[in-house]
Amino acid sequence: QGVLEGVKLPLTPTSLRSSMAGIPWRIFRSYSSASTKEKANRNGTCERTELLEVLKARAKQLQGSNVPEVTVSKVELAPLDNDKYQEAVAPGPKEKQPVPRAWGDGLARSSTWAKKLQKEMYIQQLKVEQGLPTAASQLALEGQAKLEVKADTKAKPKAKSTKTPKIPKTKAAAAWSQSSSGPHSKPRVVEVKEGAELKRPQRVPKDKSNQQVLQQTILSNLECFLFLQQPEEAERYLLLCHSSPVKRKVLNVGAYNIVMRSWARKGCLNRIERLFSMLKPAGLRPSLDSYAVALECMGRNQSPPKAILRYLEQMNSDGFHVDELFQKCLFEADEKDMVLWAIRTVQPNYQLPLPPSPQICKSSLLQDFYSRETMVSYPKLDFSVKELQECFQEQLEMELKNTITIESVEASKPLTPEATKARELLGALRSQWHAAVLQALQNSKRSMARPKRLSKYSILYPYLCLLPDEEYVDIMLQVVNDLSPQGESLAVLARELGSKVYDRYIIQRKLRSCQLEKVQEIYEKYIQLLAKDNQPKQYLPREYWEKLVAEAGFGPSLNLKNCSWPCVLLMRLGMHMLELLVKTVKVPRNILNHRLESKPIPVLYHVYSFYSTWQVGLIKPHPILSQLVANAAETTLTFNSSAMPMLCPPLPWTSPHFGAFVLNDTKLMRFMDETIHHQLLLEQCPLVNLHPVLDALNQLGNCAWKINQPVLDIIISIFNDKGDEKLDIPPPLSEAPKPPTAPGHSSTWSKSLKHELFLCKKKTAEMHSLRMDALYKLSIANYVRDKVFWFPHNMDFRGRTYPCPPYFNHLGNDVTRAILLFAEGRPLGPRGLDWLKIHLINLTGLKKRNALQERLEYANEIMEDILDSADHPLTGRKWWMATDEPWQALACCMEIAKASRSPDPAAYISHFPVHQDGSCNGLQHYAALGRDLSGAASVNLVPCGLPQDVYSAVAQQV
């Protein structure tokens, strides 16, 4: 994957400072390299309190018994610490680092450094106590801690004494200090800070977003215990939250319902009654879900009618009707059946309520479309029911595997002895890494689960138990395999690791809730609407799916209860997994040079780099690993199944929570992390008002595609022959500009030499990124070259639609669009060939201001060049290469050649897509809304002999 320069994750400084537990917001900003001089200057401008934090972290690192410190190209490299994550972004100390003689040399174990840092920390402590504000602390994720440490506090001016107060080892203190490294005691300043925090009274976070994060974290923790079938742990955690003034303020009835659900599955009604009794003192009322859980439990253990009747009467007194249980509640597995059994115990003749009649969108703009009188049958795909069933099974198998490994299109070079040896070494190393990471993960979980010291309990433990250990190891090692030599943002990698765990957890929930079985059952009937060998049905895909769900009646709901994890949780989980990788994945130092000492050194390093005054964290691979991977020249690529086109028609969107992939979780609307305003508006919108949006996305998703194989083969041949930047085929890194020879030490380099080296490095990084992007697209296209596939769609907050697969889709560049064809063809008709010729001239960029008839005449004049391009694309006159969109132009030349040479061009079946775009689409909307005739004419909304250009018209007036 390409180098992610300029990555900006969508989180605001305010929200991150207050809610990212241990991860300040600066970690998410862009980064760039900086010279040693710039680094020193920037350190001087950093806040004193931040320097205090990094000095503390640095002292811990130096106090460790064997902590390697490596300097490569003037960039500081250090192992990832587990205490807090400030050191991923905080400035490092100004001391000069020793330059190692070889990879992996140079141990930072000087006792004078430690003394110097202790002195600097003491000075910084005095400055802090004299009135400087302390850095914002974080909301504690550790739910087992009984005391809450409030963030956003300030140190008291003129503290009584700088001596360390004697503080008892409370659970809160241990929660913050649970991961100190080395056998030495903690620096005094940290203990002073903890003491001050422990003395402060508990307060509810003022920021509403903080409360939401804390509430979401509590619900996520309880959901984990529910999934792990640990009702005792769930109730214990709920009681801890209930006894905490801070957490009790954010507890809602949903938290109690989750714990009651875990007991309902065990049939423990007395536990549920106890939780019911806790709601009123907490200022909460039972919800409809609360009664559904109680009835499920009574149905499961076949409670007497008297007990069931008591709950039904209480439910009725709270304003709920029994029918609402089946109309508004979501059920998993056999929960619905258990509730129905309980109700029929006291009401034997009770029948499930009839599904509500389908609501019809009342928009005046779409009145004719949704009118039952004019409804027509949905267009059929050119597939039989059996073929679509086979496609569905193939797609399901891919999603169940989570990832898919495909062959790369890069020409496999002759397998040299060096490549063979490198592959053998990599294979052996990966086997060792797998065992080492697995052992480290299991040790980490054992240490978290020890009941000896409750303060050591990490809230991450249940999240590390949701999947089999092997799956966590596979997720972590995939990071090592995919990491580019330039490294990756620490925050991006942590978020990616946490998200992958979450995605697999959601799939496991769908499997356990029996949702997949119901989806399979309904999909088998749904494809009858799309298959060619079935009777036409007058339904839209969304309507037909909803009809089939209503007819299914029993079984689990197709929507899961909300269980999203907060960003802070994903980051902390990812950070822990990265820490395990950095600490355990090692390689022999002499693996490429046997003259060196045989000593294991880390494969991954935590690197500091700069962007403006911000110091951010990167994870970089050791040069040894990069060299091994380059020598091995492996020819496979691994993708998440959600990054691939679907091999069957997507599930229709029926709500903001259901649609697209079979198992992979997909959001209807894309939104930035922690930016939930638009998502909340979407939740509040009546579903009937979303029907036009859902139907539009379903229509786009049901369009089948296939690969234009002749064009793909030509592109791959150029890609493997050093590329061609003029044709938008990125060249390999072997064609990158060679940096000039830099004599002596970097301090003696001239400014122009440094700038030239910087430009070479930047160009190399850009070439690598573009090459990888093209490699991914072409490899995916080559994988599906003989298949028919579909692109599920979703939208952004503006209503603009996008294909869900990110790498290869029809909204890509010229290369991607040229290799895509519609899977279903249509006869060109009497004027179809003329429109293909006009489209070709549009792709050339010529005749932009000419009438359509003039463009058609020009196409007929150059017909000889068009046919030559189609017949001899790489050896002929190469007319197509001089166009604005060369690859689409070549594909169009080939289509025109086939159509014009067919016996009857009008009957020729064409699969060729023609991309069209509006003229200044935003101005078109303004002109239409304002009934602006002159504006409409300038953006081609009214008939005109020549195409209009609004930019030229504005330029003339200005």
Side-chain angles (χ1 to χ4, degrees), residues 758-777:
F758 167 75
L759 292 179
C760 287
K761 181 181 177 181
K762 181 181 178 183
K763 179 66 175 176
T764 301
E766 289 174 351
M767 288 178 63
H768 176 77
S769 179
L770 293 172
R771 181 76 175 181
M772 290 299 101
D773 179 64
L775 177 65
Y776 288 0
K777 291 176 179 177

Side-chain angles (χ1 to χ4, degrees), residues 544-556:
Y544 193 55
W545 185 275
E546 290 173 344
K547 175 179 177 293
L548 294 173
V549 171
E551 291 174 352
F554 291 93

